[in-house]
């Protein structure tokens, strides 16, 4: 198993990409700390991991709040004595036209997606510097690389921030044997994506099957991601196979964006 003896903390692990990554890492032998703002989803994911024979703990935390980030990481280190993998995956968005973005939307999206990621990296690094090792993974997005189908410009900017932070954190933390990388998912079948499709269906009257066809248009491999496609990349980046990879943001998108 590729992640045996590793303790992994995943944010936004109650659903979608985070949940799929939690299940994939547990299958590879990691003990997984499942963190999410929604307690019912935390409990369900922990139960799923345990039912499959894995080991998990649940933490309810909002990554937009520094005291909750601290409590989240501290509870993992208190219980297991180490933190090997920090996967900063929690993210939010909703569909909005450029001119409709207001301060509330900007602050909500950036509070979770950019500020949350930075302070999770920083708090995890405090522990990882002491232990002299660690893998930090972030979920960015092809939206941060100019994907025209992004949900909104504030979201795209927040994911550009994650890509930039990944490079700066990799430079700052490399000397402590800590790698920092991001995954840029393309269109991925999750609650978040379904919410965007539902909104377009309601507001623009586009039939659901047409929206599904639109979502896969222009993807060379011809299909959108399942959440497990991202989980596979997260396992790789958390494993020793990725030990000399840092500062990278890797697209997992069927070839939709090639930069
Ligand atoms: N689905 C896509 O097409 C897609 C594409 C590119 C990038 N992403 C990114 O992937 C990540 C996961 O998205 P997803 O599609 O799995 O979404 P999702 O909505 O299905 O799951 C996200 C989870 O994060 C949790 N969460 C939200 N705010 C939180 C907070 N403040 N603190 C802690 N947890 C919080 C939610 O409760 C939810 O369980 C996000 O960063 C998203 O931006 C998604």
């Amino acid at each position: 198993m590729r992640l045996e003896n590793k303790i992994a903390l995943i944010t936004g692990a109650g659903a979608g990409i985070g949940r799929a990554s939690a299940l994939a890492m547990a299958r590879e032998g990691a003990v997984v700390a499942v963190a999410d703002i929604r307690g019912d989803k935390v409990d369900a994911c922990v139960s799923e991991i345990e039912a499959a024979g894995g080991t998990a703990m649940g933490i309810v935390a909002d990554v937009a709040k520094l005291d909750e980030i601290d409590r989240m990481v501290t509870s993992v280190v208190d219980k297991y004595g180490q933190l090997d993998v920090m996967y900063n995956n929690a993210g939010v968005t909703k569909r909005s036209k450029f001119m409709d973005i207001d301060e509330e939307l900007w602050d909500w999206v950036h509070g979770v997606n950019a500020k949350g990621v930075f302070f999770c990296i920083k708090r995890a690094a405090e522990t990882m510097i002491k232990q002299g090792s660690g893998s930090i993974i972030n979920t960015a997005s092809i939206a941060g690389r100019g994907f025209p189908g992004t949900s909104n410009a504030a979201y795209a900017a927040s994911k550009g921030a994650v890509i930039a932070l990944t490079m700066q954190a990799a430079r700052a933390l490399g000397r402590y044997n800590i790698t920092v990388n991001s995954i840029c998912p393309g269109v991925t079948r999750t609650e978040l994506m379904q919410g965007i499709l539902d909104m377009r269906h309601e507001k623009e009257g586009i039939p659901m099957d047409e929206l599904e066809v639109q979502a896969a248009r222009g993807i060379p491999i011809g299909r959108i991601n399942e959440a497990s496609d991202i989980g596979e990349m997260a396992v790789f980046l958390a494993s020793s196979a990725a030990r000399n990879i840092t500062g990278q943001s890797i697209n997992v998108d069927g070839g939709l964006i090639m930069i």
Side-chain angles (χ1 to χ4, degrees), residues 12 17 36 38 61-63 89 91 139 141 155 159 185-186 188 190 192:
I17 289 168
D36 202 285
R38 295 184 293 174
D62 177 352
V63 299
N89 163 76
T139 303
S141 170
Y155 176 76
K159 294 303 186 176
T188 308
T190 65
L192 183 141

Side-chain angles (χ1 to χ4, degrees), residues 65-83:
K65 297 187 176 145
L66 270 65
D67 57 337
E68 298 203 15
I69 293 172
D70 184 50
R71 179 177 52 77
M72 173 179 78
V73 174
T74 301
S75 65
V76 175
V77 179
D78 281 354
K79 184 156 184 181
Y80 299 111
Q82 66 195 72
L83 177 64

Side-chain angles (χ1 to χ4, degrees), residues 10-20 35-42 59-65 68 72 87-93 108 111-113 116-117 138-144 147 151 155 158-159 162 183-194 196 224-225 227 230 252:
I10 306 178
T11 69
I17 289 168
R19 173 184 159 272
D36 202 285
I37 200 169
R38 295 184 293 174
D40 56 332
K41 297 284 182 182
V42 167
I59 307 162
V60 180
D62 177 352
V63 299
K65 297 187 176 145
E68 298 203 15
M72 173 179 78
Y87 184 8
N88 304 309
N89 163 76
V92 292
T93 192
W108 174 57
V112 179
N113 299 10
V117 167
N138 307 310
T139 303
S141 170
I142 58 169
F147 172 52
S151 50
Y155 176 76
S158 75
K159 294 303 186 176
V162 174
I183 304 170
C184 294
V187 184
T188 308
R189 198 179 299 284
T190 65
E191 278 179 28
L192 183 141
M193 178 202 159
Q194 195 57 48
I196 290 167
I224 65 168
N225 286 320
I230 314 303
V252 178

